[in-house]
């Protein structure tokens, strides 16, 4: 997919299709007004007749308008003027891209960035147009024997600069493409079934990335290596699986001698719950329990593609969690890399066992900041639903920066408390710590567990169990929180 920016006159642009914004009250964007004037009121007649309501997500094709070089003009609805939201913009941009890709349009020019959204710059709208285009054109096909061929897919999208300078629009276009591609990598890995996307498969994807980017170094540790590191918590999870665990490290070194940001991604390629077996209904979705790892891979791909002057390390502990004669049992006690003993009261609280050792392992990189990303608790879905990622941190400035990055990128998070009051729920009569803290505040106590392994660095925890994938008819990985993580890294470079 190729992207370009333009400031050319829309009336004379030679392209397969022009995309212009219309609002519910009949108000037209500046480009729509220019096309209306050039075509002797063609757009106005359509709108005044009531043929196009311009609700968010609606599109209407106009063919061969007089006075306009492009043979097609696609009207895109963005709701009420002055009240268009980010969700309105995203839904319409995705609808436009899907329509273009299914039509005979090989190239198109979008003027959607002319829409006004409170608090959003034209540059943001340019970037979001590209991200949404990447999202819309993604198709999962790897395990399908028959895939309908699109004879003339969209191959070139030019985005009008609107109020952004050409230089800003160019930068935002490249950034949007990298973020969108990173999201789609995360989506593809998440959507793959557990019998294909195993810990070894994830490691192979990281090694492929290493060959693609000069500033990226990848290291993969097998179970013997992991045992030498005394990662007893991590290895206790993999004992029930025939798929060997892997500890995957990706080291992107674009920032000279600066301390790195370490991203730790939970990589449970399938989670049946172990001996504490999950209910069968919906268990197929537990292939998504590696979406934290997928988001780390997607983010580092985007960072490397943009060649950002920053150091980022990805740490991915990857395993399966299955019932077996050698699997963890409720009541077992294991010893973590940090030397802390853990009583396993519930084998389905396994993600924190991988993560605690990975967090300890992160100390060797002398990190500036550590952020873990994990589909950790169903409790976060009860608390926040599917809209916001749960955020907890031992450093308020870091939490503020991540919340800002979420708002900036519209990949939002919401902060929950990480108070000492909750730590007592993890008390154990037989070990240093229990791996669950009871029914109350499950997401918070999970983060409290992790916090005991983060005393030596600034740390934040992102619980993405509600945002990493969609269920139902639209089932599939979302690619979140790649936009949030990328925006956080980009914001660091500006400060």
């Amino acid at each position: 997919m190729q992207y370009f920016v333009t400031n050319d006159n829309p009336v004379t642009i030679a392209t397969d299709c022009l995309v212009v914004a219309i609002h519910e009250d009949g108000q037209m964007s500046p480009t729509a007004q220019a096309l209306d004037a050039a075509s002797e009121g063609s757009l106005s007649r359509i709108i005044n007749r009531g043929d196009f309501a311009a609700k968010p997500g609606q599109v209407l094709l106009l063919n061969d308008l007089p006075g306009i070089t492009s043979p097609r003009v696609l009207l895109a609805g963005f709701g009420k003027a002055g009240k268009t939201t980010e969700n309105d913009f995203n839904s319409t941009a995705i609808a436009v891209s899907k329509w273009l890709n299914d039509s005979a349009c090989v190239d198109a020019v979008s003027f959607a960035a002319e829409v006004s959204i409170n608090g959003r710059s034209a540059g943001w709208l340019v970037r979001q147009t590209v991200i949404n285009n990447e999202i819309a054109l993604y198709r999962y096909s790897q395990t399908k024997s028959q895939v309908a061929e699109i004879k003339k897919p969209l191959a070139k999208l030019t985005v009008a600069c609107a109020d952004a300078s050409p230089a800003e629009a160019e930068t935002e276009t490249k950034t949007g493409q990298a973020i969108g591609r990173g999201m789609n990598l995360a989506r593809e890995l998440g959507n793959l079934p557990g019998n294909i996307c195993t810990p070894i498969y994830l490691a192979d994807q990281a090694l492929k990335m290493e060959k693609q980017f000069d500033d990226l170094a990848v290291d993969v540790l097998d179970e013997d290596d992991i045992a030498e590191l005394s990662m007893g918590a991590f290895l206790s999870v993999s004992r029930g699986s025939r798929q060997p665990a892997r500890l995957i490290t990706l080291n992107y070194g674009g920032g000279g001698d600066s301390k790195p940001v370490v991203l730790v991604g939970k990589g449970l390629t399938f989670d049946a719950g172990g001996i504490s077996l999950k209910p069968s209904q919906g268990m197929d979705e537990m292939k998504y329990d590696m979406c934290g790892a997928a988001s780390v891979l997607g983010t580092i791909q985007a960072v490397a593609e943009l060649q950002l002057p920053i150091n980022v390390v990805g740490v991915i502990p990857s395993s399966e969690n299955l019932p077996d004669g050698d699997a963890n049992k409720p009541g077992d006690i294991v010893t973590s890399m940090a030397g802390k003993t853990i009583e396993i009261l519930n084998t389905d609280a396994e993600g924190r066992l991988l993560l605690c050792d990975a967090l300890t392992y992160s100390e060797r990189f002398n990190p500036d900041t550590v952020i873990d990303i994990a589909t950790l608790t169903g409790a976060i879905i009860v608390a926040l639903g599917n809209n916001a990622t749960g955020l907890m941190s031992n450093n308020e400035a870091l939490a503020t920066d991540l919340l800002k990055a979420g708002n900036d990128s519209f990949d939002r998070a919401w902060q929950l408390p990480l108070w000492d009051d909750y730590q007592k729920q993890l008390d154990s009569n037989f070990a240093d710590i229990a791996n669950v803290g009871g029914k109350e505040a499950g997401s918070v106590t999970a983060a409290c567990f992790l916090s005991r392994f983060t005393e030596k660095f600034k740390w934040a925890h992102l619980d993405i169990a509600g945002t990493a994938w969609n269920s139902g008819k639209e089932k599939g990985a979302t690619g979140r929180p790649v936009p949030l993580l990328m925006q956080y890294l980009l914001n660091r470079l500006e400060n």
Side-chain angles (χ1 to χ4, degrees):
M1 186 72 194
Q2 292 183 301
Y3 293 97
F4 300 90
V5 298
T6 185
N7 269 329
D8 293 345
N9 183 351
V11 174
T12 57
I13 290 178
T15 183
D16 291 337
C17 186
L18 299 173
V19 180
V20 296
I22 309 293
H23 291 285
E24 285 185 34
D25 54 7
Q27 183 173 327
M28 293 183 281
S29 65
T31 293
Q33 294 176 30
L35 297 182
D36 188 54
S39 63
E40 300 177 351
S42 296
L43 277 66
S44 296
R45 287 192 291 273
I46 294 290
I47 294 169
N48 293 336
R49 265 201 320 250
D51 291 341
F52 186 58
K55 294 186 179 298
Q58 288 186 331
V59 296
L60 178 66
L61 175 65
L62 305 181
N63 283 304
D64 300 318
L65 297 183
I68 298 173
T69 300
S70 173
R72 302 176 187 84
V73 173
L74 189 68
L75 306 185
F78 285 93
K80 294 182 179 179
K83 296 184 178 181
T84 302
T85 67
E86 291 93 341
N87 282 323
D88 292 338
F89 184 87
N90 289 340
S91 63
T92 299
I94 288 173
V96 165
S97 292
K98 288 182 176 179
W99 186 93
L100 290 170
N101 200 50
D102 291 337
S103 70
C105 299
V106 176
D107 70 87
V109 181
S110 173
F111 291 85
E114 292 180 336
V115 172
S116 176
I117 299 178
N118 186 35
R120 299 300 185 185
S121 67
W124 186 91
L125 294 170
V126 169
R127 182 196 297 189
Q128 209 63 25
T129 298
V130 175
I131 291 175
N132 283 313
N133 190 63
E134 289 290 326
I135 291 172
L137 300 190
Y138 168 79
R139 295 287 187 276
Y140 178 82
S141 61
Q142 190 168 153
T143 54
K144 293 185 176 183
S145 61
Q146 294 182 345
V147 179
E149 181 184 359
I150 299 176
K151 294 183 178 179
K152 288 186 176 182
L154 183 66
K156 172 185 171 184
L157 180 66
T158 300
V159 183
C161 297
D163 291 333
S165 68
E168 180 188 9
E170 186 73 33
T171 297
E172 295 293 357
T173 297
K174 291 179 179 178
T175 302
Q177 184 178 22
I179 292 173
R181 285 163 54 87
M183 291 177 72
N184 285 344
L185 172 62
R187 293 169 75 191
E188 182 73 7
L189 293 172
N191 288 334
L192 286 169
N195 62 321
I196 292 178
C197 187
T198 63
I200 290 175
Y201 185 93
L202 279 183
D204 288 342
Q205 302 315 298
L207 291 169
K208 287 181 181 179
M209 286 174 57
E210 181 183 35
K211 294 178 180 178
Q212 186 178 357
F213 301 109
D214 293 337
D215 291 330
L216 183 63
V218 173
D219 187 32
V220 178
L221 302 184
D222 62 21
E223 290 191 337
D224 289 339
D225 300 321
I226 297 168
E228 287 185 11
L229 292 167
S230 301
M231 291 184 167
F234 179 5
L235 284 178
S236 74
V237 178
S238 69
R239 288 207 319 262
S241 171
R242 296 184 183 182
Q243 293 291 338
R246 291 291 184 267
L247 181 64
I248 307 160
T249 302
L250 304 93
N251 197 326
Y252 172 80
D257 296 329
S258 61
K259 291 184 177 181
V261 175
V262 178
L263 305 177
V264 180
K266 176 186 172 186
L268 259 292
T269 57
F270 191 82
D271 179 20
I275 298 297
S276 306
L277 192 66
K278 292 178 180 290
S280 60
Q281 185 175 2
M283 194 192 288
D284 62 291
E285 294 188 1
M286 288 302 96
K287 68 179 185 177
Y288 293 118
D289 213 15
M290 41 62 67
C291 283
S295 72
V296 170
L297 289 167
T299 299
I300 290 181
Q301 175 183 278
V303 168
E305 185 174 318
L306 292 172
Q307 297 181 313
L308 296 184
I310 192 170
N311 292 331
V312 183
V313 175
V315 177
I316 298 173
S318 186
S319 174
E320 289 183 334
N321 185 30
L322 297 173
D324 180 79
D326 193 37
N328 278 334
K329 304 178 295 295
D332 282 359
I333 294 176
V334 299
T335 303
S336 69
M337 184 182 182
K340 300 178 189 290
T341 57
I342 303 166
E343 183 182 13
I344 300 173
L345 298 179
N346 187 327
T347 67
D348 193 26
E350 84 300 322
R352 63 201 73 182
L353 300 178
L354 273 68
L355 290 171
C356 72
D357 279 345
L359 289 168
T360 301
Y361 184 76
S362 298
E363 293 175 12
R364 66 185 51 210
F365 300 107
N366 190 25
D368 175 87
T369 303
V370 178
I371 304 168
D372 78 72
I373 309 99
T375 50
L376 203 61
T377 66
I380 202 68
I381 306 174
V382 177
L384 298 177
N386 302 111
N387 295 311
T389 290
L391 165 65
M392 285 145 275
S393 179
N394 64 7
N395 183 280
E396 198 58 32
L398 173 58
T400 299
D401 289 343
L402 286 167
L403 290 171
K404 181 180 185 302
N407 287 326
D408 289 348
S409 62
F410 201 63
D411 181 11
R412 294 171 294 180
W414 190 260
Q415 187 176 6
L416 280 73
L418 192 68
W419 300 333
D420 288 341
D421 311 52
Y422 295 101
Q423 291 283 359
K424 61 185 178 182
Q425 292 179 230
L426 297 169
D427 288 347
S428 167
N429 290 342
F430 307 106
D432 297 331
I433 184 174
N435 80 323
V436 292
K439 294 182 180 180
E440 294 81 13
S443 297
V444 174
T445 55
C448 285
F449 177 95
L450 296 177
S451 73
R452 298 199 184 190
F453 302 86
T454 64
E455 296 171 349
K456 296 182 180 180
F457 45 73
K458 289 188 300 183
W459 159 79
H461 164 62
L462 296 176
D463 193 333
I464 61 170
T467 55
W469 78 91
N470 296 319
S471 299
K473 184 180 178 181
E474 300 299 323
K475 183 167 70 174
T478 63
R480 297 178 66 183
V482 171
L484 184 158
L485 294 170
M486 279 298 295
Q487 189 65 57
Y488 169 74
L489 297 173
L490 290 167
N491 288 351
R492 283 178 64 98
L493 292 173
E494 293 180 359
N495 297 332

